[in-house]
């Protein structure tokens, strides 16, 4: 009966070397493919971030210009009405009399008459004394309560005509785009006229159309004027939340990624125009490219693993 001899040291060593070689060859092939795939995915992710940052920058820079362009014609109308009121001796005399004897009702009737002649019905018209005291005002045709009007920011009599330091002012739950006009009587500064038009849904819609975004004018923790989608929850809450930091953020809303871009408006109280910009045009092509890369990487890894097995067997036989 023949005896089976144990394997020699050389045979044992050869078998161990063959197993190690196969593993190393397989790891080398799959590792190389994996590194190339990760590098490619990193480049795509970085390009996505760069494109999103460019969209945010363009939106932030363009929102102010677009808003100025939309308001340009309205502000021309404000200039017309302000010059009419500030240049009317009857209005200024009634204003001076109201400061002296406190007869606000007579002054308001004179003011309403002049505004009717000027065809200015919806908006804010406020007369304040030189010391900042509210004399009389109309908000959308109704008398303005004194509690709704803080001391004016701009001092009357500033050289150069318009004295506005702020462009937007919140009155109650409304937001107005305003400008100030100094009032003089016989060359002496007697007060300030503040006149403005409401920032409303129509203005938000026009801005949104120009920028391709949903718009929320945020003040006092809520949207005071917005496009229809921006005024609905939960997007409205997310838009308002960006005003706490003043920094853009990315959210997913109804399955779509959006950039929320807040822009601080010129106002003494925190007032923002917050835009929700869809990112589909930016992210969709890059997302498709990422999926193609992942599919190609999976296929390449499978081929590399198969080649590694075949080559290792062929080289070790």
């Amino acid at each position: 009966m023949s005896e089976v001899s144990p394997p020699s040291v050389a045979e044992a060593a050869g078998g161990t070397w063959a197993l190690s070689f196969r593993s190393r060859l397989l790891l080398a092939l799959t590792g190389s493919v994996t590194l190339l795939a990760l590098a490619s995915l990193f480049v795509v992710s970085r390009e996505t971030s760069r494109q999103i940052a460019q969209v945010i920058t363009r939106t932030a820079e363009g929102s102010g210009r677009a808003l100025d362009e939309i308001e340009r014609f309205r502000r021309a109308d404000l200039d017309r009405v302000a010059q009419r009121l500030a240049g009317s001796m009857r209005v200024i005399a009634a204003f001076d009399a109201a400061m002296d004897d406190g007869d606000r009702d007579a002054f308001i009737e004179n003011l309403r008459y002049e505004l009717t002649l000027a065809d200015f019905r919806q908006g804010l018209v406020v007369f304040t004394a030189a010391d900042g005291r509210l004399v009389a005002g109309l908000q959308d045709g109704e008398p303005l309560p004194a509690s709704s009007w803080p001391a004016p920011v701009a001092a009357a009599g500033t050289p150069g005509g318009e004295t506005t330091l702020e462009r937007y002012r919140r009155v109650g739950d409304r937001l107005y785009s305003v400008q100030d006009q100094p009032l003089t009587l016989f060359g002496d500064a007697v007060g300030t006229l503040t006149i403005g038009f409401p920032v409303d849904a129509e203005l938000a819609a026009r801005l949104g159309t120009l920028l391709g975004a949903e718009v929320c004018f945020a003040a006092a923790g809520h949207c005071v004027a917005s496009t229809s989608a921006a005024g609905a929850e939960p997007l409205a809450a997310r838009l308002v939340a960006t005003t706490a930091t003043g920094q853009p953020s990315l959210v997913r809303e109804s399955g779509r990624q959006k950039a929320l871009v807040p822009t601080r408006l010129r106002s003494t109280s925190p007032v923002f125009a917050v835009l929700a910009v869809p990112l589909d045009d930016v992210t969709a092509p890059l997302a498709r490219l990422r999926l193609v890369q992942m599919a190609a990487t999976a296929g390449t890894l499978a081929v590399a693993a198969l080649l590694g097995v075949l080559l290792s067997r062929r080289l070790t036989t």
Side-chain angles (χ1 to χ4, degrees):
M1 186 174 179
S2 61
E3 296 182 358
V4 179
S5 60
S8 64
V9 175
E11 289 173 342
T16 303
W17 177 85
L19 180 61
S20 176
F21 176 77
R22 290 174 185 173
S23 300
R24 290 177 181 176
L25 182 60
L26 184 60
L27 287 173
L29 287 171
T30 56
S32 298
V33 172
T34 301
L35 287 175
L36 287 174
L38 289 176
S40 180
L41 288 173
F42 172 77
V43 170
V44 173
S45 296
R46 185 160 186 172
E47 178 62 18
T48 301
S49 298
R50 189 182 71 85
Q51 293 282 354
I52 291 175
Q54 286 184 344
V55 170
I56 290 174
T57 300
R58 286 198 302 267
T59 302
E61 293 175 349
S63 60
R65 292 194 298 268
L67 192 54
D68 285 342
E69 182 63 24
I70 293 172
E71 291 184 343
R72 184 161 56 91
F73 295 105
R74 287 188 176 185
R75 287 195 171 275
D77 193 44
L78 288 185
D79 284 335
R80 175 184 63 82
V81 178
Q83 293 298 327
R84 179 188 183 99
L85 295 177
S88 170
M89 287 300 299
R90 180 172 60 183
V91 170
I92 300 301
F95 169 64
D96 189 54
M99 285 192 294
D100 290 339
D101 57 26
D103 187 4
R104 296 174 65 246
D105 293 338
F107 174 57
I108 286 177
E109 288 306 314
N110 275 288
L111 185 56
R112 279 178 170 155
Y113 176 75
E114 288 291 338
L115 292 175
T116 300
L117 293 179
D119 195 26
F120 188 84
R121 295 178 174 83
Q122 292 294 315
L124 183 70
V125 180
V126 178
F127 284 77
T128 52
D131 58 4
R133 173 173 49 90
L134 174 68
V135 177
L138 293 174
Q139 181 181 9
D140 299 329
E142 297 300 321
L144 180 70
S147 59
S148 301
W149 190 255
V153 175
T158 302
E162 185 183 354
T163 64
T164 303
L165 297 180
E166 61 175 351
R167 285 277 297 274
Y168 298 89
R169 179 168 289 199
R170 183 173 61 89
V171 180
D173 60 352
R174 301 290 304 273
L175 181 66
Y176 294 88
S177 179
V178 301
Q179 63 187 52
D180 291 350
Q181 179 73 32
L183 300 174
T184 59
L185 183 62
F186 304 119
D188 296 326
V190 293
T192 302
L193 163 65
T194 299
I195 186 169
F197 57 82
V199 175
D200 51 16
E202 179 186 353
L203 181 63
R206 292 182 63 187
L207 181 61
T209 300
L210 276 179
L211 298 175
E214 299 296 338
V215 179
C216 160
F217 288 96
H222 67 282
C223 290
V224 295
S226 65
T227 53
S228 56
E233 298 295 348
L235 182 57
R238 291 176 173 177
L239 289 166
V240 173
T242 63
T243 63
T245 62
Q247 298 299 317
S249 63
L250 300 179
V251 300
R252 186 163 292 277
E253 178 72 21
S254 301
R256 303 176 65 189
Q257 190 174 27
K258 297 180 180 180
L260 307 186
V261 186
T263 300
R264 176 74 183 260
L265 301 180
R266 203 166 75 186
S267 175
T268 53
S269 60
V271 176
F272 290 82
V274 191
L275 280 67
V277 185
L279 297 174
D280 294 350
D281 292 342
V282 174
T283 59
L286 295 171
R288 287 194 294 268
L289 178 59
R290 187 183 295 109
L291 289 175
V292 170
Q293 284 181 324
M294 293 175 66
T297 299
T300 306
L301 280 172
V303 173
L306 179 61
L307 286 176
V309 172
L310 294 176
L311 286 173
S312 63
R313 287 180 177 178
R314 190 177 185 88
L315 292 173
T316 56
T317 54

